[in-house]
């Protein structure tokens, strides 16, 4: 997984640079690791890389206010919005197709899910139907673009 950059510098991460620089470093590391593994794996077991960080950057560029909502209040763990996007990217990476984003509403997906929740705080919002569709579309576009380049 190309993990997403942190929303802000946290946990002594300022040396990783901007979100774009952080993501590029993570992308390079994942690709180097996958390349090394692929030299010893059978072709049918070739590594697949889930470009989650690239999907986060796409949203940062195109919908900055939604990008802000991809993070938990600690600035590095995913919020329900971020977890939904990550799930969509993972589905695209593993199955090479879109998840059935209309089978359950985001509210139904989270009704019994464990999630990080700030104590004594309002419940973190889950994506709206429109946001969920957008996140799913971004996941598909980023995965198709990334895999056309790297596969």
């Amino acid at each position: 997984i190309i993990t997403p950059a942190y929303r802000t510098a946290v946990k002594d991460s300022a040396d990783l640079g901007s979100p774009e620089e952080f993501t590029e470093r993570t992308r390079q590391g994942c690709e180097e690791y996958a390349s090394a593994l692929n030299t010893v794996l059978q072709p049918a077991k070739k590594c697949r890389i889930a470009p989650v960080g690239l999907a986060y950057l796409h949203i940062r560029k195109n919908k900055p206010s939604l990008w802000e909502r991809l993070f938990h209040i600690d600035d590095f763990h995913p919020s329900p919005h971020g977890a939904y996007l990550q799930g969509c990217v993972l589905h695209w990476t593993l199955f090479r197709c879109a998840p059935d984003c209309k089978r359950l509403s985001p509210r139904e997906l989270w009704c019994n899910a464990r999630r990080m929740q700030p104590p004594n705080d309002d419940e973190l919002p889950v994506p709206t139907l429109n946001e969920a569709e957008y996140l799913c579309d971004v996941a598909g576009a980023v995965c198709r673009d990334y895999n056309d380049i790297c596969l």
Side-chain angles (χ1 to χ4, degrees):
I1 296 175
I2 300 171
T3 56
Y6 303 150
R7 183 168 48 190
T8 61
V10 294
K11 297 183 133 196
D12 298 320
S13 66
D15 60 328
L16 297 173
S18 68
E20 292 77 12
E21 293 166 329
F22 184 124
T23 302
E24 179 59 17
R25 288 182 172 115
T26 304
R27 183 194 63 76
Q28 288 174 352
C30 286
E31 289 175 2
E32 288 174 19
Y33 187 68
S35 179
L37 282 174
N38 285 338
T39 63
V40 297
L41 293 174
Q42 298 171 6
K45 296 184 179 186
K46 182 179 175 185
C47 292
R48 292 186 185 180
I49 299 173
V52 173
L54 302 179
Y56 270 60
L57 282 184
H58 177 92
I59 293 170
R60 177 179 161 86
K61 178 181 176 184
N62 294 289
K63 289 199 173 191
S65 63
L66 181 57
W67 179 76
E68 291 286 335
R69 292 195 306 267
L70 297 177
F71 297 89
H72 189 272
I73 62 169
D74 63 8
D75 291 327
F76 63 97
H77 285 101
S79 68
H81 286 75
Y84 191 86
L85 177 61
Q86 289 183 23
C88 290
V89 171
L90 287 169
H91 192 283
W92 268 102
T93 301
L94 294 172
F95 302 110
R96 303 289 198 229
C97 65
D100 185 358
C101 294
K102 296 183 181 180
R103 195 175 67 122
L104 292 173
S105 73
R107 176 66 52 198
E108 290 172 300
L109 287 173
W110 269 273
C111 70
N112 293 315
R114 286 181 43 201
R115 56 182 152 164
M116 290 179 56
Q117 180 63 45
N120 307 317
D121 226 348
D122 290 337
E123 187 174 289
L124 292 171
V126 300
T128 65
L129 283 173
N130 287 340
E131 289 170 334
E133 287 179 16
Y134 177 76
L135 294 170
C136 192
D137 289 345
V138 166
V142 168
C143 286
R144 284 188 301 269
D145 288 348
Y146 181 77
N147 291 319
D148 283 348
I149 294 168
C150 295
L151 293 181

